[in-house]
Amino acid sequence: MAFHNIVVIGASYAGLGTAHYLLKHTVPSLEKASQDSTKYKVTLISATSHFYHKVAAPRLLASPDLIPLSKAFLPIEDGFKDYDSQHFELVIGEATSLDETSKTITISNTYGTPNKTPITYSTLILATGASSSSDLWHIPGSHEKTISALKSIQSALPTATTVLIAGGGPAGVETAGEIASRFPKIETTLLSGSDRVLTRLRPAISAAAEKQLEALGVKTVHNLKVESTSESGDQTTVKLDDGTSRTADIYIPATGIRPNTSFLPRSWLTPQNYVITADTTSLRGPVPTVYAIGDVAGYSLGGALDIMGA
């Protein structure tokens, strides 16, 4: 009897959605159509035990009473408990290397110790996503670190008088709006880092977003980027690329993302370290039986809607 292991690496929006679809639709259809009684299995590899609903992070930061932490961090295992163990396996650990020839993946557990037996894939789906400069926006191994980062901001906001947010993308813009809406007396400043906010959208949308922020009392400053930060007591001082400095009670970095692809062969990656895909709407990766979906894929613009369009 033949065996086909579909390995999905990554358990955020793209990875979880893919794994569920495979188990509900693809695997049953493949086994039904199989001429040689091939058995199919989905192996989900996740670097963390919990899913983080990070789209809600800006509101979670400013209004924890509206979105409790228990609603934002969900155990991944619970979502797959109804599947047959013959068809599904959850592996908690970080993919640290991949051998293209043997189609094997080395996994290290949360303590950095490699598993004794590498995982072999027949089909590989890369959904490892991207990391940010702050634990607020992703889970760095343990979800407790992200919870701690969130709680730190939540506890500081009620007594803060100044908030400085670096990053004019969706996370920065939404966080500025949420804080200004909930705490109108705080002086909230957003550093866009460019000549407008939301640069991947049309200029008219950028202008409308900035106008809404202005109506909430947010001051948006363009064409300034943070070079370094230093903490003194309860305040943070940021040094900017024009030589000036600003000090705030709360500093929130919301700048840029980097794809989680360090374990992959260099030949699979674009110059920016994203997984090469056939075109802007294809999940097909750089070699046969390898696919990429979500933020890690070369076609992606870094948004959840990319997953639907691919």
Side-chain angles (χ1 to χ4, degrees), residues 102-167:
S102 62
K103 291 188 173 183
T104 56
I105 306 159
T106 300
I107 307 297
S108 293
N109 60 28
T110 54
Y111 302 101
T113 304
N115 287 5
K116 292 182 179 180
T117 305
I119 294 175
T120 300
Y121 65 87
S122 308
T123 298
L124 176 63
I125 301 174
L126 299 167
T128 49
S131 300
S132 68
S133 59
S134 170
D135 292 348
L136 292 170
W137 316 115
H138 75 286
I139 298 181
S142 170
H143 69 287
E144 295 293 343
K145 292 182 179 179
T146 301
I147 290 176
S148 177
L150 288 165
K151 285 183 174 180
S152 178
I153 301 296
Q154 290 172 343
S155 63
L157 278 171
T159 58
T161 58
T162 54
V163 171
L164 181 62
I165 301 168

